[in-house]
Amino acid sequence: MSEVADLPPVPEAAGKVFGGALPDAVRYAELLADTAVTRGLIGPREVPRLWERHLLNCAVLGEVVPDGVAVCDVGSGAGLPGIPLALVRPDLRITLLEPLLRRTRFLQEVTELLGLEQQVTVVRGRAEEVLGTLEPVQVVTARAVAPLDRLAGWGVPLLRPYGEMLALKGESAEEELRASKAALHKLGVTETEIVQVGADVVDPPATVVRAVVGESPGGVRFAAKRARAARKGGRGGHGRRR
């Protein structure tokens, strides 16, 4: 039996969340269950729970993303949460930032197959490499990338002033946030909260750590690094598109 055949039926909640984009969401689920598994981007054990644990869990993040903003999905991997977010929120401009070539190739294929080229840009690189070469964004998203303090060190400097990082986390969210308070403060974060989204879609609801920055995202050290990169004209090839 193929991995695609192992996909569970499309849940009723998917129609509610994805609306007219449901056919594209189904196609994406099939790509995750087939191509992404074959290339080692998704574990085969995840296939039976792709809808609830991955697609819907990521799509409900759209409930807390402001209208019409630029988003950078850090460590996008197989496109989670960036691709589901693009499908439910066509008003957003999304950059999928991923350092591994095999993953960026998959992301580019998905973007083209789903007709998202005008909305989604795939960039190969690490957050610390593209700082100063990518235009600062209003929102940074991430899922299962790293502990919160490390994740903030990568994602927060990519924000524009008064932007926000939205990190999908699990049961450890409160503990991680408590442990990261000092690090977040040094990075210019002025406000934090834990938000539950998708209460009527996924069980349990998805947990999001929201960190809002002030006028200096990343703090003084990253402001200086950003300025140096800007003076170099953004050249050096770190933000490679694939």
Side-chain angles (χ1 to χ4, degrees), residues 112-134:
E112 293 171 0
L113 284 169
L114 300 184
L116 296 173
E117 302 101 315
Q118 299 302 312
Q119 182 190 2
V120 176
T121 301
V122 178
V123 174
R124 183 184 173 205
R126 300 182 184 278
E128 59 269 31
E129 294 173 336
V130 302
L131 183 65
T133 66
L134 287 184

Side-chain angles (χ1 to χ4, degrees), residues 72 95 97 121 123 127 130-137 158 226 239 241:
C72 183
T95 297
L97 180 61
T121 301
V123 174
V130 302
L131 183 65
T133 66
L134 287 184
E135 184 177 349
V137 296
L158 300 177
R226 228 180 346 251
R241 297 191 181 190

